[in-house]
Every structure is written in structure tokens, then in C-alpha cells.
């Protein structure tokens, strides 16, 4: 052991013991730091120490002694080991903090938990970039799930004094990580839904409420619970402070996707305010005009952009039937002054769909399949007469607003 580093180790351990004795979570949060720059600096100062037990022997609580030892080892090794090894060490630190919180009364350790959990997610992302394997995300999700279970098990009556104070923050991170795993999000995210009933409480910070609703909205969108996704994403957008322009823009990307599936398009003023032109403007224009080939080509041209958000397949799959609906609506407007406005021949419908999709090989059977889908989902009200080859549209409201056509995937 290089005795030149004894002062740093001693200072950390002595301060840790003092903070623990007085249940001073804020002091411990300032001591146990997890940002990569600080960890790198401390790691260089602790590099010569092989065994931390001569220092941590001063700590009276055995679990806290293990936590402090593992933290010091993690800091010492982090600059020199592979990312997956460093991530494994950080997961062990988080597991020991969970055990410490379980054995402690009150929520005074929450200030330590928050930066540690956030560092865990960032470490998983760094490990994934280095290894291209999703194992780090699954490992992180498992650790966060155990933490969340422990937080929710607190029976303290007052939410302000309960460990549940940290549940909204951890649930948001768990949703965030679960969306990055190869497994179905529900495998990790189902526990986070238990927090939903607490999310409206003023006991939680506005930041935690916005973050949780954002990630919950994204989770619902991936699972095609579109109306629930809209509700939570709209809450996040409305309650995110105006000066957080970048965050509001990130929320808006997913809110636009959820709203578009329900037939609601953003205004040009909103797109301009958040610098979301011209891609979204083009999508909205093609969607409104019933131009399927233009809509899908815009998605394909910007595939990497939409895939990075997780919205590419959602928009590609869930909007096609709606664009056909809009194309048919525009065709009926053109024919509004004739009897053909309410009764359309199959040939007129086929021509409309061929123009919308630029698929000149579409036949009557494919056209009937699209129409059957539109009518069964009540996007279009009317009847098809196969033998007469006629589409008879409702005289009252053949094209009800898309938002009024039921709830999509009720949760």
C-alpha cells in the first residue's frame, strides 16, 4: 500500500461515518459522488490502495461498512477496468445501498440513491456502446426493480417521510431502461404502474412528476396504449417549464406521434416554435391530404431519426389505415355535388387508393380488404355491396372524427 493515499481514504471514511451517525443524507450525497469526472479524479488518488478494510474498520454498521468499501473499490478500479466490469461493480454498490435502506428507518438515504441510480443508467448506456450487448440494460433494470420494490414496501403513513419519496424517480428510470432492453418492456415496467396512483401528489417534485409521465407515456406508446400515452405525454409537455426548450422538444416528438395516430395534427406555429420543420410539416401535409406514398417516403428518408426515438414502426404501421381514410374523405369532397358523393363505385374507391399509395397493381380484393378494415374500425361509416361493387356511405356522418372512434387499447 502506498501510504501517500491514506489521507484521502481516511477523509472519506471519517466523513462517511459522521454522516451516517447523524442520518445526514445530504452530507453523504456530497461525499459519495458518481459523476465520471469526479470518479476519475478520486480513482487516481486511491489507485495505490489494495485493501480498504484498515480504513473502513472504523465504521460501526456492518452493511454501511460493506457499502463504503465497495464504493471505494469501484472508484479505484473504474478508470482502469473494462466498462462491463465497472458497471458490475456499480450494480453491487447499488445493491448494498438497497440493503442499507431496507435496514434503515426513514427516507434520509434518498439523496444518495438518486445520483447513484442515474449513474447506473448512464453506466449501462456506456457499457452498451462499448460491448453492443444489452446485458447491462437488463442488469440495471433488475437492480432498479429491486430498489423500487423496497421503496414501495415502506408503510410510513406520511408520504413526505416515506421511502416512497424516491419511487417516482426510480420508476421513471426503470421505464427508461426497460425500453432499451431486448425483453418486453412489461417484464420490468409492470411494477412502475403501481406508482401511477402517487404521481399526482405534490409531495413529489415537479421534475419527478414530469419525468415519470414522460417515460410512462413512451412506455404506453410502445405498447400501443395510444390514448393513455397521449394523456401522460401531454401532462409532461404542459408541466415542463418553458425554459427547458430541449426537454419540451423531446416530449413533443412522441406526443406528435401519439396524437397523429388519433388524427390530431400539430399547428405550424407549434412546429416552428420548437424547430421541428420540415420533417414533421411534411408528414402532417401528406397525412392530411391522404398521400400515403409521400407520408411513408418521408418516414423512410428519415428512418434513422425516427428509429432513434422508437417511433418509426409506430408511425409506419398505425397511420396507414388513417391516411387511406383521409384519401377517401377527400375523394368524397370532390364528388360532393353528385350522387356519387354518398354512393361510390368500387372503381372510384380503387382509383382513390391507387393514387394515394401509387400502387397501380392494387386490385379490387386488396381495396375491399382496406375498406373492410376502415368500416370495421368505424373510421368510415357505410356498407359495401360486393356483388353490385358499390360503397354506400352513411348520409349523416360517413367520416366521424378519428378521436371519437373509441379508445385504442384500454389499459
Amino acid at each position: 500500500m502506498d501510504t501517500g493515499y491514506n489521507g484521502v481514504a481516511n477523509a472519506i471514511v471519517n466523513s462517511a461515518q459522521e454522516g451516517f451517525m447523524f442520518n445526514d443524507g445530504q452530507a453523504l450525497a456530497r461525499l459519495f459522488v458518481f459523476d465520471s469526472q469526479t470518479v476519475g479524479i478520486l480513482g487516481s488518488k486511491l489507485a495505490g490502495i489494495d485493501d480498504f478494510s484498515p480504513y473502513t474498520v472504523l465504521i460501526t454498521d456492518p452493511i454501511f461498512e460493506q457499502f463504503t468499501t465497495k464504493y471505494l473499490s469501484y472508484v479505484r478500479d473504474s478508470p482502469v477496468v473494462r466498462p462491463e466490469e465497472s458497471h458490475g461493480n456499480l450494480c453491487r454498490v447499488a445493491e448494498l445501498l438497497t440493503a442499507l435502506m431496507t435496514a434503515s428507518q426513514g427516507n434520509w438515504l434518498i439523496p444518495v440513491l438518486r445520483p447513484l441510480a442515474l449513474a447506473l443508467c448512464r453506466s449501462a448506456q456506456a457499457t452498451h456502446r462499448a460491448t453492443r450487448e444489452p446485458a447491462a440494460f437488463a442488469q440495471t433494470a433488475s437492480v432498479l426493480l429491486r430498489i423500487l420494490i423496497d421503496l414501495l414496501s415502506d408503510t410510513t403513513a406520511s408520504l413526505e417521510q416515506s421511502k416512497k419519496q424516491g419511487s417516482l424517480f426510480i420508476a421513471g428510470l426503470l421505464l427508461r431502461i426497460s425500453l432499451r432492453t431486448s425483453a418486453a418492456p412489461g417484464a420490468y415496467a409492470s411494477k412502475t404502474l403501481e406508482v401511477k396512483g402517487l404521481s399526482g401528489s405534490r409531495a413529489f417534485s415537479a421534475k419527478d412528476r414530469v419525468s415519470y409521465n414522460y417515460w410512462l407515456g413512451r412506455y404506453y406508446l410502445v405498447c400501443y396504449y395510444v390514448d393513455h400515452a397521449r394523456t401522460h405525454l401531454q401532462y409532461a409537455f404542459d408541466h415542463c417549464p418553458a425554459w427547458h426548450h430541449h426537454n419540451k422538444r423531446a416530449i413533443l416528438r412522441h406526443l406528435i406521434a401519439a396524437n397523429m395516430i388519433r388524427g390530431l395534427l400539430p399547428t405550424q406555429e407549434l412546429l416552428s416554435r420548437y424547430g421541428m420543420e420540415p420533417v414533421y410539416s411534411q408528414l402532417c401535409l401528406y397525412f392530411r391530404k391522404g398521400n400515403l406514398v409521400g407520408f411513408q417516403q418521408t418516414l423512410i428518408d428519415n428512418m434513422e431519426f425516427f428509429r432513434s426515438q422508437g417511433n418509426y414502426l409506430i408511425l409506419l404501421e398505425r397511420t396507414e389505415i388513417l391516411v387511406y381514410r383521409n384519401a377517401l374523405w377527400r375523394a368524397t369532397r370532390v364528388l360532393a355535388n353528385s350522387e356519387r358523393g354518398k354512393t361510390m363505385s368500387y372503381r372510384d374507391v380503387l382509383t382513390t387508393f391507387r393514387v394515394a399509395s401509387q400502387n397501380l397493381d392494387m386490385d379490387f380484393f386488396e381495396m375491399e380488404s382496406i375498406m373492410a378494415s376502415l368500416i370495421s374500425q368505424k373510421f368510415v361509416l357505410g356498407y359495401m355491396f360486393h356483388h353490385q361493387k358499390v360503397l354506400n356511405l352513411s348520409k349523416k356522418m360517413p367520416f366521424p372524427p378519428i378521436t371519437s372512434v373509441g379508445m385504442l387499447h384500454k389499459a
Side-chain angles (χ1 to χ4, degrees):
M1 178 190 301
D2 187 347
T3 56
Y5 295 95
N6 292 356
V8 175
N10 275 325
I12 293 175
V13 171
N14 289 336
S15 298
Q17 173 63 12
E18 182 180 353
F20 186 78
M21 286 178 60
F22 291 99
N23 291 354
D24 191 345
Q26 296 293 343
L28 292 180
R30 291 191 295 270
L31 182 66
F32 294 109
V33 291
F34 297 95
D35 66 277
S36 57
Q37 183 176 2
T38 306
V39 167
I41 294 173
L42 283 177
S44 64
K45 296 181 181 297
L46 300 175
I49 303 177
D50 298 322
D51 182 13
F52 289 103
S53 58
Y55 304 98
T56 57
V57 71
L58 300 174
I59 299 177
T60 55
D61 184 272
I63 301 178
F64 187 60
E65 185 271 332
Q66 293 180 56
F67 168 77
T68 305
T69 300
K70 192 62 186 177
Y71 170 78
L72 292 172
S73 300
Y74 156 73
V75 170
R76 178 197 62 196
D77 298 337
S78 186
V80 295
V81 299
R82 293 178 300 176
E84 57 268 33
E85 292 181 42
S86 179
H87 183 70
N89 291 335
L90 188 58
C91 286
R92 181 56 182 157
V93 173
E95 289 169 352
L96 287 168
L97 181 62
T98 306
L100 188 63
M101 291 182 65
T102 303
S104 302
Q105 297 294 322
N107 60 6
W108 61 277
L109 283 169
I110 297 296
V112 183
L113 174 64
R114 295 175 68 93
L116 172 54
L118 192 58
L120 203 58
C121 294
R122 290 172 176 166
S123 175
Q125 292 175 328
T127 303
H128 176 67
R129 285 195 297 269
T131 64
R132 311 310 302 174
E133 295 292 334
F137 289 124
Q139 187 180 16
T140 301
S142 297
V143 173
L144 292 176
L145 181 59
R146 288 195 293 271
I147 294 173
L148 183 60
I149 291 172
D150 177 72
L151 295 176
L152 292 176
S153 65
D154 191 358
T155 57
T156 304
S158 172
L159 187 57
E160 287 79 0
Q161 303 300 322
S162 171
K163 295 175 187 174
K164 291 178 181 177
Q165 268 282 301
S167 61
L168 211 60
F169 177 75
I170 297 299
L173 291 181
L174 182 54
L175 285 165
R176 174 182 177 181
I177 287 295
S178 68
L179 291 171
R180 299 296 302 272
T181 62
S182 57
Y188 296 111
S190 58
K191 193 69 178 178
T192 64
L193 301 183
E194 295 184 20
V195 187
K196 193 163 69 167
L198 303 173
S199 61
S201 173
R202 295 293 177 180
F204 296 102
S205 68
K207 180 180 179 180
D208 283 355
R209 295 198 302 273
V210 168
S211 179
Y212 174 74
N213 276 278
Y214 168 68
W215 290 109
L216 184 59
R218 287 194 57 182
Y219 164 71
Y220 276 137
L221 187 57
V222 167
C223 296
Y224 293 130
Y225 295 113
V226 179
D227 291 289
H228 293 282
R230 287 178 56 217
T231 298
H232 291 284
L233 288 170
Q234 189 67 58
Y235 178 95
F237 183 76
D238 291 342
H239 291 80
C240 182
W243 59 85
H244 286 301
H245 189 274
H246 175 78
N247 290 345
K248 289 183 79 74
R249 191 169 184 265
I251 298 168
L252 190 58
R253 288 172 179 169
H254 302 282
L255 181 59
I256 288 174
N259 280 338
M260 187 172 288
I261 296 172
R262 298 299 279 139
L264 298 172
L265 302 180
T267 64
Q268 192 63 40
E269 188 273 333
L270 184 66
L271 294 177
S272 300
R273 185 190 310 165
Y274 291 99
M276 304 186 73
E277 301 173 297
V279 175
Y280 285 96
S281 295
Q282 290 176 341
L283 282 182
C284 292
L285 176 65
Y286 292 137
F287 182 92
R288 190 180 294 110
K289 287 190 172 184
N291 186 339
L292 181 64
V293 67
F295 185 90
Q296 293 186 340
Q297 190 59 51
T298 301
L299 284 176
I300 293 170
D301 291 343
N302 298 276
M303 182 185 297
E304 289 305 315
F305 171 72
F306 286 105
R307 284 183 63 184
S308 67
Q309 302 170 30
N311 290 334
Y312 177 73
L313 287 178
I314 293 172
L315 287 170
L316 189 67
E317 295 173 356
R318 302 294 289 187
T319 57
E320 181 176 350
I321 194 69
L322 303 180
V323 179
Y324 275 124
R325 178 255 187 208
N326 290 345
L328 190 65
W329 176 80
R330 290 179 67 86
T332 61
R333 299 284 289 178
V334 173
L335 302 173
N337 295 326
S338 69
E339 281 298 318
R340 296 163 64 197
K342 296 298 182 183
T343 302
M344 296 181 66
S345 70
Y346 270 22
R347 185 168 299 280
D348 287 339
V349 178
L350 179 60
T351 300
T352 299
F353 288 171
R354 281 178 172 177
V355 171
S357 63
Q358 291 295 297
N359 178 14
L360 301 182
D361 295 326
M362 182 184 292
D363 55 25
F364 285 111
F365 294 106
E366 187 175 351
M367 179 274 293
E368 276 191 317
S369 176
I370 296 170
M371 276 308 313
S373 180
L374 285 168
I375 292 173
S376 66
Q377 296 182 65
K378 300 188 184 305
F379 291 124
V380 174
L381 301 183
Y383 300 93
M384 291 188 299
F385 296 94
H386 177 76
H387 294 295
Q388 291 86 352
K389 297 192 180 303
V390 168
L391 169 66
N392 189 18
L393 294 170
S394 170
K395 293 183 178 180
K396 206 169 188 181
M397 186 183 289
F399 297 94
I402 297 173
T403 52
S404 69
V405 185
M407 294 279 284
L408 298 183
H409 285 277
K410 292 181 180 180

